[in-house]
Amino acid sequence: MGRQWRDGRGELVVHGSDGGPAVRVPLEIATSYRARTKGLLGRDSVDGAILLSPANSVHTFRMRMPIDVAYLDRDLRVITVRTMRPGRLGMPRLRARHVVEAEAGVMAEWGVRVGGLVEVIA
C-alpha cells in the first residue's frame, strides 16, 4: 500500500481502540529529504504532530523539548510509542515505514497505542 504524500499540512486521525470517537489532530507532513531532516529541530513547541515519511528512526539532537514518537508500519498501524528526551538517538524499527512526532505526553491523551490504527488526511 504505497502512500504518496507531499510536504504540507493535513490531519492525523487516531481511531479509538475501544470503539470510541476518533481524535483529529493538526498534522504537518514532511516527505522531502529536507523537511524530514529538519523535523522539529529548533522549535519550542508543535501544534499537533508531524509525520516523517519514509522513516524508521529519529533522533532528538539539538531539540529543545522532549517528544513522543510513534513508529507506524506500511498500513499506518502503531508498532511502538516512545517518549524521547533531547539528545537521544532512537533505535531503528525494521517494520516501520513512517514516524509521527508530537510534544511529550500528548499521544497517550490522543489514544495512540501499540496496535492502534491512525489515518492521514492530506
Side-chain angles (χ1 to χ4, degrees), residues 40-41 43-44 46 50 52 55-71 80-93 98-108:
L40 296 177
L41 294 177
R43 298 189 198 185
D44 293 320
V46 59
I50 183 170
L52 307 174
N56 68 354
S57 67
V58 296
H59 69 82
T60 58
F61 299 120
R62 297 187 358 229
M63 283 198 171
R64 299 178 182 171
M65 62 184 172
I67 60 171
D68 281 349
V69 179
Y71 297 86
T80 190
V81 181
R82 295 282 182 257
T83 299
M84 295 177 64
R85 295 189 320 259
R88 303 292 176 190
L89 179 62
M91 295 291 295
R93 307 297 170 171
H98 319 282
V99 173
V100 175
E101 297 178 343
E103 286 189 31
V106 298
M107 287 196 186

Side-chain angles (χ1 to χ4, degrees), residues 3-120:
R3 297 203 169 16
Q4 299 281 333
W5 297 302
R6 292 180 179 219
D7 291 350
R9 299 222 168 254
E11 192 172 54
L12 179 73
V13 180
V14 181
H15 296 282
S17 59
D18 57 358
V23 175
R24 295 177 172 271
V25 178
L27 182 68
E28 189 176 323
I29 300 170
T31 59
S32 69
Y33 176 78
R34 184 175 181 178
R36 288 190 326 264
T37 302
K38 183 169 190 228
L40 296 177
L41 294 177
R43 298 189 198 185
D44 293 320
S45 66
V46 59
D47 178 30
I50 183 170
L51 170 74
L52 307 174
S53 179
N56 68 354
S57 67
V58 296
H59 69 82
T60 58
F61 299 120
R62 297 187 358 229
M63 283 198 171
R64 299 178 182 171
M65 62 184 172
I67 60 171
D68 281 349
V69 179
Y71 297 86
L72 310 175
D73 69 11
R74 69 182 71 227
D75 299 320
L76 302 182
R77 189 163 301 279
V78 180
I79 297 171
T80 190
V81 181
R82 295 282 182 257
T83 299
M84 295 177 64
R85 295 189 320 259
R88 303 292 176 190
L89 179 62
M91 295 291 295
R93 307 297 170 171
L94 297 179
R95 291 186 3 228
R97 298 293 178 266
H98 319 282
V99 173
V100 175
E101 297 178 343
E103 286 189 31
V106 298
M107 287 196 186
E109 294 173 18
W110 298 339
V112 177
R113 292 183 182 26
V114 173
L117 198 59
V118 299
E119 181 181 355
V120 173

